[in-house]
Amino acid sequence: MNTAAPLATDSLDTWLDYWSHVHVTGIDLGLERVIPVAEKLGVTQPEAQVLTVAGTNGKGSTTTTLAAILNAQGLKVGLYQSPHVYRFNERVKLRGIEVEDQLLVDAFIEVDQARRECGLSLSFFEATTLAAFVIFKNEACDVWVLEVGLGGRLDVVNVVNPDVAVITNIGLDHTDWLGDTIEKIAFEKAGIIRPNIPVVFGGQQDIPQAILDKAAECTAPLYAINRDYFYEAFEDGASWGFASSGTTLKLPTGSLALDNISTAVAAILVSGLEVSQEAIAQGIQTAKLPGRFEIREITNKTVIFDAGHNPHGVEFLLKQLSHYLNHHSQISEVVCVFSMLGDKDINSVVGLLKDSIRLWKIAPLNVPRAAELSVLTDALAGQAVETYNNVKLAFQSALDETNNNQLILVCGSFHTLEAVWEYLEECQ
């Protein structure tokens, strides 16, 4: 497609719109088109150390913790994550700070020139991921921490050879793309494993055979939670213990899930990077991520934002919610502002949440893959439900109508959270 490219002086939004129209589909798994462009850009074999993180849930928390620890050690870290919650710039960070618009625009110019020279089109995700890699290369980062977008084997992130492969867990999600069984999905995630590199598996489940097979094929040492490394939360609530062969650490409690924090610590320890216990502790305390059981007070109402959008993620949300309610006895009811994408397992998510929700305020999302309102209402049959034209109106009503005994939970999708944050931004 020979669409005229924007200029270097054009806005980031103009460039993002451009990339959304260059390729025929938003998701196009496979590396055939991407690899020639990545090679021309010189990003496939960075001089930096690379830690790649795949998994069904927990990738954001794990990559955030990894980057925070390595930044605390004084290394120059490039962190790539997706999707973003509010600003696109959230996807690309240097030393823990979102990159400026112009840095992204300059990288987009390089990517566009390279793909035109190759005579290839790129999807939005492919182009924006390659732009992150261009930035990390040009900025001479010491370490790249990369979150896989979808699967692993055929995801654009996998054009870069990692020095450490991390797989957080395996659950049923994106089944249309990755397969409808745990083993099929595990096969795709295991695609990030390379010969002779350490692999860390952080799933609270038996290690899928596909991961065992790929690690054996690559003679890659595999470190699994509850087998090769362990964590224990201490009663004081302020600290926890990490243990592996020859290593025992007492560390401070952070704001993210211990499953993911401990997996990040395990990856640091097997990476060969020199990182002090002080840097590990500091990184854990500074690691924050919007939309992961994020608690905020808004107009004197307690609001929890959680981006869980599949059964595994919602199970974890419910564990955290139960813990929170046990320590806040004044809250007796939960009002849920809710919407989901149509290609997600809506019935299973609702089935898990319904016993904890007093009232649902639902609305369709304003994105192409949004679930129709009728699909949401059918899934919530028998529940107390109020419908709204959009998520902003649903959230506004929740703020207006909830009392001090009620908590507002915003969940179901990153897009649900994004709509609420846009509303809050408009109100400032």
Side-chain angles (χ1 to χ4, degrees):
M1 185 173 179
N2 292 316
T3 306
L7 304 174
T9 53
D10 283 325
S11 70
L12 174 60
D13 286 341
T14 300
W15 274 95
L16 294 174
D17 182 67
Y18 167 73
W19 286 120
S20 68
H21 293 95
V22 166
H23 196 59
V24 290
T25 58
I27 299 175
D28 191 357
L29 289 179
L31 303 180
E32 297 83 5
R33 286 174 300 98
V34 182
I35 287 174
V37 183
E39 288 176 341
K40 183 166 282 292
L41 291 166
V43 297
T44 56
Q45 296 181 340
E47 295 180 9
Q49 187 93 346
V50 179
L51 293 85
T52 297
V53 180
T56 302
N57 295 290
K59 298 189 297 289
S61 297
T62 304
T63 50
T64 295
T65 304
L66 282 168
I69 290 170
L70 295 168
N71 282 320
Q73 183 63 32
L75 297 167
K76 186 173 186 180
V77 181
L79 170 62
Y80 174 69
Q81 299 172 302
S82 68
H84 62 278
V85 176
Y86 186 56
R87 293 174 303 280
F88 179 86
N89 309 54
E90 295 168 20
R91 298 184 181 215
V92 187
K93 296 186 178 76
L94 295 171
R95 297 193 190 274
I97 300 171
E98 296 171 18
V99 297
E100 297 291 335
D101 288 7
Q102 192 58 51
L103 207 55
L104 284 162
V105 169
D106 293 344
F108 284 147
I109 292 169
E110 286 193 50
V111 173
D112 194 54
Q113 181 178 343
R115 69 108 188 158
R116 287 175 183 271
E117 290 176 5
C118 293
L120 295 165
S121 67
L122 295 174
S123 71
F124 178 92
F125 185 71
E126 290 164 349
T128 53
T129 303
L130 289 180
F133 296 171
V134 166
I135 290 171
F136 298 161
K137 176 194 170 192
N138 291 346
E139 295 292 319
C141 290
D142 300 313
V143 185
W144 298 12
V145 178
L146 308 179
E147 177 183 336
V148 171
L150 182 61
R153 183 174 64 94
L154 300 177
D155 187 88
V156 59
V157 167
N158 206 32
V159 302
V160 177
N161 290 323
D163 297 288
V164 180
V166 180
I167 301 173
T168 56
N169 51 57
I170 306 294
L172 292 174
D173 196 16
H174 300 294
T175 52
D176 290 347
W177 300 99
L178 305 179
D180 56 3
T181 69
I182 291 294
E183 282 298 334
K184 287 178 182 177
I185 294 172
F187 174 79
E188 296 299 329
K189 309 287 188 190
I192 68 169
I193 299 173
R194 299 291 196 277
N196 306 310
I197 69 166
V199 180
V200 178
F201 180 70
Q204 296 283 355
Q205 61 194 113
D206 292 337
I207 308 170
Q209 191 62 43
I211 293 174
L212 293 170
D213 290 346
K214 184 66 174 180
E217 174 192 328
C218 291
T219 59
L222 176 61
Y223 303 88
I225 197 167
N226 299 327
R227 188 192 74 176
D228 305 295
Y229 70 95
F230 307 84
Y231 74 85
E232 178 188 8
F234 295 151
E235 288 187 12
D236 63 7
S239 59
W240 62 285
F242 176 94
S244 63
S245 177
T247 304
T248 303
L249 302 173
K250 183 178 182 181
L251 296 164
T253 301
S255 66
L256 301 176
L258 264 183
D259 279 19
N260 302 321
I261 293 174
S262 63
T263 295
V265 171
I268 293 287
L269 294 176
V270 301
S271 69
L273 292 165
E274 290 190 16
V275 180
S276 69
Q277 184 172 343
E278 291 74 21
I280 293 174
Q282 183 183 334
I284 288 169
Q285 289 177 302
T286 56
K288 302 258 188 312
L289 197 58
R292 273 66 167 191
F293 207 76
E294 180 186 359
I295 304 166
R296 294 173 61 178
E297 293 296 321
I298 302 171
T299 63
N300 296 318
K301 305 292 174 66
T302 301
V303 183
I304 294 177
F305 296 92
D306 194 280
H309 52 269
N310 54 43
H312 190 278
V314 170
E315 286 173 355
F316 189 68
L317 159 61
L318 287 171
K319 286 181 186 176
Q320 293 173 294
L321 182 62
S322 175
H323 183 266
Y324 182 86
L325 294 175
N326 286 339
H327 289 80
H328 296 80
S329 56
Q330 76 278 13
I331 297 175
S332 58
E333 295 179 342
V334 178
V335 174
C336 187
V337 176
F338 181 78
S339 194
M340 288 186 69
L341 295 175
D343 54 6
K344 297 297 181 182
D345 189 353
I346 297 171
N347 288 327
S348 293
V349 166
V350 166
L352 288 166
L353 284 169
K354 64 182 183 181
D355 290 340
S356 302
I357 307 301
R358 165 68 182 82
L359 173 64
W360 300 79
K361 292 177 178 284
I362 66 172
L365 295 168
N366 186 29
V367 295
R369 292 159 56 205
E372 294 182 4
L373 194 58
S374 60
V375 173
L376 297 173
T377 52
D378 287 349
L380 288 163
Q383 298 284 295
V385 177
E386 295 176 359
T387 61
Y388 296 85
N389 290 334
N390 57 61
V391 171
K392 295 179 184 180
L393 290 174
F395 182 73
Q396 186 177 37
S397 75
L399 279 185
D400 292 343
E401 297 169 14
T402 50
N403 59 47
N404 292 334
N405 297 322
Q406 294 175 315
L407 174 151
I408 301 170
L409 173 64
V410 181
C411 69
S413 171
F414 277 105
H415 299 286
T416 313
L417 275 58
E418 184 176 14
V420 172
W421 271 312
E422 285 180 358
Y423 165 80
L424 293 172
E425 191 84 1
E426 291 165 4
C427 292
Q428 287 183 355

